[in-house]
Amino acid sequence: MKGRILAFATLVVPFLMQAQITGKVNDKISNEPLIGAKIVASDGAKAISDFDGNFKLDVQKFPVTLIVSMLQYVNDTIVVDKAGDISIKLGEPVKDLETVVVSAGRRKQAIEEVPVSMEIIRPQLIDNKGITDLEQAVEQTPGVFTMDGQVSIRGGSGFAYGTGSRVLLLWNGMPLLSGYAGDTQWNAIPMEQASQIEVMKGAASVLYGSGALNGVISLSEKEPGLKPETKLKVAYGFYDNPKRASLKWWSKTPMMQQIEAYRGQMFKKMGYTVSTTLFHNDGYRQGETEYRGRVSGSIYFKPEKFNRLKAGIGYNYQVQKTGNFLIWQSDTLGYVPSGGADTSNPASTLTYNLGQRLFLDPYIKFIDKKNNRHSLKNRIYYAHNGNINNPSQSNGAIIYFSDYQFQKQFGNGITISTGASNIYNVVQSNLFGNHTSNNFAAYFQYEQKIGKLDIVAGARAEHFQMDGIRGDSDFMINKKDSVSIPVYPVIRMGLHYEIAKYTHLRASFGQGIRYPSVAERFTQTSVGALNIFPSPQLRPEIGWAAEIGVKQGVKIGEWKGMFDVAAFVNQYSNMMEFAFGVFNPDSIVLSTDPNSPGYINKWVGFKAQNAEAARISGIDFSFNSFGSIGKVEIISLIGYTYMNPISLNNDSVYQAGFSAPGSGLLKYRFKHLAKLDVEANYKKYSVGASFRYNSFMENIDLVFEEPVAGSTYILPGLKEYRQKYNKGNFVVDFRLGYKLNEKVRFGLIANNLLNAEATSRPGDIQPPRNFMAQIQMKF
């Protein structure tokens, strides 16, 4: 019997060995092994290349066809006639028509396979439009609106006096919101180093935690290549006179200047990037000047003895002096601050700040012997704003961030990502007081590809406490007996199905949570007639977002376009907003006597409250394209969003504070938002135009239109101004470019070409027509 088994094994084993294909996948140019390349055989066998680019396939018969694919590489098809070892070289396309994103799943994915709505802003748009900070770049995105430094995706946010953010800003996968106000630091981001800007619409708290309630804006640094790259950009511009003569306050034309430089190179064992920006703006509003300088970059390490390990440290330091204009003198003098530009006048709302931003980002990435990916990211982020006029309103904070992630890809299409993150925040502020907070979270995400179907599901558990007091992240599991746990769970799930080669269907659902910032809880200040009161009992806001969408691709030669249509619903509870009222303590009796402690003007103002519940539904359409049709390269970013932002708070006292109480609309929102940017390049010439439209903001706080405590107006003339300018905003930009050669490009840019008078929020008139000339050089 043993002899028969041995004879059978002798016959069968060689046959099995002959049916095995082994091989290695390398980059065609650098010859570096490619990790994660997918190899699919015509008989159904599948494999993924490991850290060394190696793979094994057990096939049933020969000849067999292998299709080798990897994001950002050209697919390769090979016919194999017999078992044995093969070598595969993948090359990058001459023009990369494939859009790859990272923020949607914390790993590289083709944008067509992502189950949530995403938009991409490419560096070429940033450079050619003369954009000087990230807020201006985000403003070009379909479905996104910025309002005095705060960003709203699909109507998710209103006006919040520069505190708190429902959209999380990420730089290299780590959050970059200030520790004291929870606001976005737009001008601290080194856009000259970014590979692209990714905007993810809808709740993303499962992946990124608090602050991602309404979406994510993510930028990652582009790693340098073996060939050194140097970039230099110089721009010079000026503001034209506004259409209304009364708005012009200057006798000398306000100017702006920018110098931006970048250098990067990768060597065998290490690499580096370094960039610097110098910027000056006289400002179109009186006193709102800006001076800033920044140096940033990264150092990369690739130890020769530990080739599975990669480490590095990013750095960024910025110093700036800015004038901050809050509210206007009147609708006639809309570019003059209330109380005038003389900051020695106590009535002036103009303030000058000296700010510093510093972050250091040490990280390490490791691939173990089983090809599991480990990542440990850290950030120390220091931000300080010194109020030059009134040092008692200065504030600063240090954030310590850490995130560990483990990721495993299986050969059967399953990817598991799990990890934990912690944010420890130390605030030292003359304005808010000294405070600390800690936010720990653990997360898990499961993804599986089954043929043309992609499934994703994830969960996150959050624990948060401020000043050592727990409760913000408590989750009630038994309301009847008031039983709760100290961690708050959120979930997400999504589906993607490839109906045809260029047709993709998707659906997603995600929950989110945002904890109050120190500024929202503890600010107590007065600016002109505007009083802000503290609200230490403020609760976190929670919500969810759901959508179903279709993405349809079109391709003509080297030109690729992508239509996207999505129907969405966002719902929020305990929304934090600044509500107007009289907030005197019970011990203080109100009085009309200016010398009394109870003088009513001292106790009338705004206070952050969990006043709102809301539902925002609508339809989002976008069309993005890039590539060449014939000899003309065309790049477009087009979108239209219809939103129905409904307040679910029916309290009559609350709605009495609306300027449009019968509308049922949320404050500081509108229903229609349209964006269009198109650029065409032919030989050495380029021409581009941008069009932006938003409908009228129907509902605001009534107090901005009516007098406070008798005859005092916070924004004099606003009611009449809104009655006159009630058609919404329409702004047109135009640009021309000329390439002297492959290294030098000249540009002329006209922003607000028609010199339209537009506002982002009440009392915030946007810039008049302005012009810029620039030169870009690459070596």
Side-chain angles (χ1 to χ4, degrees):
M1 184 68 179
K2 291 182 179 179
R4 292 179 181 177
I5 295 174
L6 182 60
F8 178 77
T10 303
L11 292 172
V12 173
V13 171
F15 175 79
L16 293 176
M17 292 296 291
Q18 289 175 357
Q20 188 176 81
I21 300 173
T22 59
K24 188 169 186 176
V25 186
N26 293 82
D27 184 285
K28 183 182 289 185
I29 296 178
S30 68
N31 207 37
E32 291 285 326
L34 296 180
I35 311 166
K38 297 177 182 178
I39 303 96
V40 180
S42 54
D43 64 357
K46 298 178 181 179
I48 297 177
S49 61
D50 62 16
F51 178 84
D52 298 311
N54 297 323
F55 68 90
K56 293 180 180 180
L57 269 180
D58 292 317
V59 299
Q60 297 177 4
K61 62 179 181 178
F62 293 97
V64 65
T65 301
L66 305 183
I67 299 176
V68 186
S69 62
M70 187 170 181
L71 289 176
Q72 295 177 300
Y73 283 85
V74 177
N75 291 357
D76 196 6
T77 301
I78 303 168
V79 178
V80 181
D81 295 319
K82 60 181 180 179
D85 193 59
I86 62 173
S87 178
I88 301 171
K89 306 281 188 180
L90 294 184
E92 297 184 6
V94 177
K95 282 188 176 286
D96 189 4
L97 297 181
E98 189 169 40
T99 302
V100 177
V101 296
V102 178
S103 57
R106 285 187 169 231
R107 65 183 182 89
K108 286 186 176 181
Q109 294 174 276
I111 193 171
E112 295 89 345
E113 299 177 359
V114 172
V116 296
S117 289
M118 292 196 70
E119 303 291 349
I120 304 298
I121 303 175
R122 301 180 184 278
Q124 185 173 344
L125 175 64
I126 297 171
D127 288 336
N128 295 353
K129 270 189 71 40
I131 290 170
T132 58
D133 67 40
L134 181 58
E135 182 180 3
Q136 296 173 3
V138 169
E139 178 65 18
Q140 309 301 314
T141 310
V144 180
F145 184 77
T146 60
M147 185 186 306
D148 200 18
Q150 293 184 288
V151 64
S152 173
I153 297 178
R154 292 173 172 173
S157 300
F159 175 51
Y161 302 87
T163 61
S165 177
R166 297 188 181 103
V167 176
L168 186 63
L169 174 63
L170 300 175
W171 172 251
N172 285 336
M174 293 179 281
L176 199 62
L177 300 179
S178 73
Y180 44 83
D183 61 331
T184 304
Q185 306 293 297
W186 296 108
N187 64 13
I189 295 294
M191 292 188 297
E192 66 275 9
Q193 295 177 241
S195 57
Q196 62 186 18
I197 301 174
E198 302 174 12
V199 179
M200 183 163 54
K201 303 174 183 179
S205 288
V206 166
L207 291 176
Y208 298 108
S210 177
L213 184 64
N214 185 218
V216 168
I217 298 170
S218 176
L219 298 89
S220 294
E221 182 179 12
K222 181 182 180 181
E223 291 190 6
L226 296 174
K227 182 180 179 181
E229 181 183 21
T230 302
K231 296 188 295 184
L232 178 66
K233 182 166 63 176
V234 179
Y236 192 89
F238 65 92
Y239 293 99
D240 197 0
N241 294 333
K243 186 174 293 187
R244 272 200 299 149
S246 66
L247 293 178
K248 181 186 174 184
W249 55 269
W250 57 81
S251 57
K252 182 181 178 181
T253 301
M255 313 295 290
M256 66 188 93
Q257 301 90 28
Q258 180 187 30
I259 300 175
E260 187 177 280
Y262 167 87
R263 171 79 176 183
Q265 185 176 8
M266 187 69 76
F267 301 97
K268 187 175 181 181
K269 296 181 182 179
M270 67 166 291
Y272 74 93
T273 62
V274 60
S275 70
T276 186
T277 297
L278 299 173
F279 180 76
H280 164 250
N281 190 352
D282 289 329
Y284 64 94
R285 290 189 282 210
Q286 190 177 19
E288 197 172 60
T289 57
E290 181 178 5
Y291 300 84
R292 71 171 186 263
R294 183 182 66 240
V295 61
S296 58
S298 292
I299 301 174
Y300 304 90
F301 301 98
K302 297 193 297 182
E304 192 171 4
K305 293 184 178 179
F306 304 97
N307 60 352
R308 291 176 176 266
L309 183 146
K310 183 178 179 181
I313 182 169
Y315 58 91
N316 186 311
Y317 175 72
Q318 176 169 299
V319 61
Q320 63 185 33
K321 181 183 177 182
T322 57
N324 297 316
F325 177 110
L326 184 61
I327 52 180
W328 67 23
Q329 179 95 321
S330 67
D331 61 324
T332 304
L333 302 174
Y335 287 160
V336 176
S338 178
D342 181 4
T343 55
S344 63
N345 178 6
S348 175
T349 60
L350 179 68
T351 59
Y352 286 100
N353 292 284
L354 183 63
Q356 296 183 72
R357 310 280 185 267
L358 170 68
F359 52 88
L360 299 172
D361 299 350
Y363 71 90
I364 184 169
K365 297 178 181 179
F366 176 69
I367 301 177
D368 63 29
K369 293 181 179 180
K370 295 184 178 180
N371 294 312
N372 301 315
R373 296 173 182 262
H374 304 261
S375 170
L376 178 62
K377 296 180 179 181
N378 302 277
R379 169 170 290 157
I380 301 173
Y381 177 33
Y382 168 78
H384 183 270
N385 274 339
N387 190 313
I388 298 173
N389 311 72
N390 186 359
S392 66
Q393 294 193 356
S394 300
N395 49 75
I398 302 178
I399 290 178
Y400 303 90
F401 173 85
S402 294
D403 179 89
Y404 167 75
Q405 180 179 298
F406 169 86
Q407 191 172 92
K408 184 175 183 63
Q409 286 186 305
F410 297 87
N412 58 359
I414 296 175
T415 300
I416 291 176
S417 303
T418 187
S421 64
N422 191 76
I423 303 175
Y424 182 66
N425 181 27
V426 180
V427 176
Q428 294 182 321
S429 170
N430 297 332
L431 179 60
F432 314 129
N434 297 338
H435 302 274
T436 61
S437 65
N438 196 80
N439 186 186
F440 176 80
Y443 58 88
F444 175 85
Q445 181 165 280
Y446 174 91
E447 299 171 86
Q448 184 170 6
K449 188 176 187 63
I450 307 171
K452 296 182 178 182
L453 176 66
D454 294 283
I455 303 170
V456 60
R460 185 183 187 97
E462 289 253 345
H463 175 75
F464 179 88
Q465 61 180 28
M466 184 176 287
D467 295 328
I469 302 172
R470 56 160 284 188
D472 284 330
S473 59
D474 284 1
F475 181 74
M476 192 71 66
I477 58 176
N478 188 329
K479 292 185 178 181
K480 182 179 180 181
D481 299 323
S482 298
V483 179
S484 64
I485 56 176
V487 293
Y488 196 93
V490 291
I491 63 170
R492 74 172 295 216
M493 57 190 71
L495 297 172
H496 158 262
Y497 184 75
E498 186 179 359
I499 300 174
K501 186 175 181 180
Y502 297 114
T503 307
H504 302 263
L505 176 68
R506 70 177 186 276
S508 66
F509 171 85
Q511 295 177 319
I513 185 170
R514 185 178 79 85
Y515 302 108
S517 66
V518 170
E520 287 169 306
R521 276 186 164 159
F522 300 107
T523 296
Q524 184 164 7
T525 188
S526 297
V527 182
L530 192 65
N531 298 318
I532 308 291
F533 297 93
S535 182
Q537 304 305 316
L538 203 62
R539 299 289 301 160
E541 56 187 17
I542 56 176
W544 57 264
E547 72 167 60
I548 182 169
V550 176
K551 196 179 290 287
Q552 177 64 55
V554 293
K555 188 176 181 183
I556 303 174
E558 291 187 344
W559 178 81
K560 178 182 178 182
M562 191 69 70
F563 291 94
D564 190 283
V565 180
F568 62 88
V569 178
N570 299 339
Q571 185 148 321
Y572 304 100
S573 301
N574 291 337
M575 286 185 80
M576 290 177 267
E577 66 170 36
F578 282 86
F580 182 78
V582 181
F583 301 105
N584 60 302
D586 293 337
S587 58
I588 299 292
V589 179
L590 293 176
S591 169
T592 56
D593 180 5
N595 298 316
S596 169
Y599 181 45
I600 189 170
N601 283 25
K602 295 179 180 179
W603 299 105
V604 171
F606 291 87
K607 181 177 182 179
Q609 296 182 335
N610 297 112
E612 189 64 274
R615 180 185 300 122
I616 306 168
S617 57
I619 297 176
D620 201 4
F621 164 81
S622 69
F623 175 71
N624 303 327
S625 73
F626 58 100
S628 298
I629 299 178
K631 295 182 179 180
V632 181
E633 182 186 46
I634 299 175
I635 304 168
S636 69
L637 184 62
I638 304 169
Y640 165 75
T641 306
Y642 168 77
M643 298 159 284
N644 189 28
I646 298 300
S647 171
L648 301 180
N649 187 343
N650 297 317
D651 183 82
S652 58
V653 176
Y654 172 69
Q655 291 202 0
F658 290 7
S659 65
S663 67
L665 296 176
L666 288 172
K667 292 181 291 184
Y668 306 105
R669 270 78 164 188
F670 35 76
K671 288 191 172 184
H672 303 278
L673 179 64
K675 308 280 182 76
L676 184 151
D677 186 276
V678 178
E679 180 174 294
N681 298 284
Y682 176 72
K683 294 184 178 180
K684 294 183 177 182
Y685 304 93
S686 69
V687 58
S690 294
F691 303 86
R692 298 185 301 281
Y693 168 78
N694 63 267
S695 58
F696 182 61
M697 188 179 289
E698 296 182 35
N699 194 17
I700 65 171
D701 282 296
L702 180 63
V703 67
F704 286 134
E705 294 186 341
E706 302 294 338
V708 179
S711 59
T712 302
Y713 282 88
I714 297 175
L715 288 169
L718 179 65
K719 186 173 184 178
E720 294 76 15
Y721 183 90
R722 281 170 49 80
Q723 289 172 349
K724 181 178 179 180
Y725 296 94
N726 61 359
K727 304 298 182 183
N729 298 325
F730 179 67
V731 178
V732 179
D733 304 330
F734 186 76
R735 60 189 184 271
L736 294 171
Y738 174 74
K739 261 190 176 183
L740 183 65
N741 50 48
E742 291 302 315
K743 296 181 178 179
V744 180
R745 182 185 188 276
F746 297 98
L748 292 174
I749 302 146
N751 294 315
N752 192 4
L753 182 66
L754 304 180
N755 212 10
E757 188 168 324
T759 57
S760 68
R761 59 148 175 95
D764 183 34
I765 304 177
Q766 294 299 289
R769 179 169 48 222
N770 55 93
F771 300 94
M772 179 179 288
Q774 67 168 206
I775 179 171
Q776 301 177 44
M777 291 176 278
K778 296 182 181 181
F779 306 98

